[in-house]
Amino acid sequence: MSSPTPHDHLVRLAFDPGVSPKGGGLPGLEVLRTVVNSINLFGIVAVVGALAVSLGVWAWGHHTGGHQAEANGKKGAIVSAGAALGLGAANGIVAFFTALGSQVR
């Protein structure tokens, strides 16, 4: 067998750089987690408000015969529900795709 060339080392490095996420490597990780959790909570509170307004517009449009308002209220309610789903599932979605991505070879 021939001796490894620098090119062989680069090819191996491209396939397995040896990098994996580890907690505690940088200062401020807990602060960042707290900030992200606060942003998520803010988003959830905002979605509750958006859902309440959308449902009110939907009801108002229905009872007054305003078809455009009714349609916009329905769209707002669906978008708010989707946003709530995404915010609530954000951690699980990221964990799922992180685990899926770690299986790529």
Side-chain angles (χ1 to χ4, degrees):
M1 278 196 152
S2 63
S3 63
T5 65
H7 175 42
D8 293 335
H9 176 69
L10 288 176
V11 169
R12 279 196 307 273
L13 183 62
F15 290 117
D16 184 14
V19 177
S20 62
K22 292 183 182 172
L26 292 174
L29 185 59
E30 285 305 314
V31 173
L32 181 61
R33 283 185 182 141
T34 302
V35 168
V36 171
N37 286 338
S38 298
I39 291 170
N40 196 351
L41 177 61
F42 180 80
I44 290 170
V45 170
V47 165
V48 169
L51 182 59
V53 169
S54 295
L55 293 174
V57 169
W58 184 358
W60 176 74
H62 177 75
H63 290 294
T64 61
H67 300 295
Q68 186 69 29
E70 184 179 2
N72 286 337
K74 286 179 187 179
K75 285 188 279 188
I78 290 170
V79 169
S80 297
L85 177 67
L87 287 167
N91 197 41
I93 292 169
V94 170
F96 172 77
F97 282 107
T98 299
L100 191 64
S102 68
Q103 297 175 9
V104 174
R105 300 279 178 230

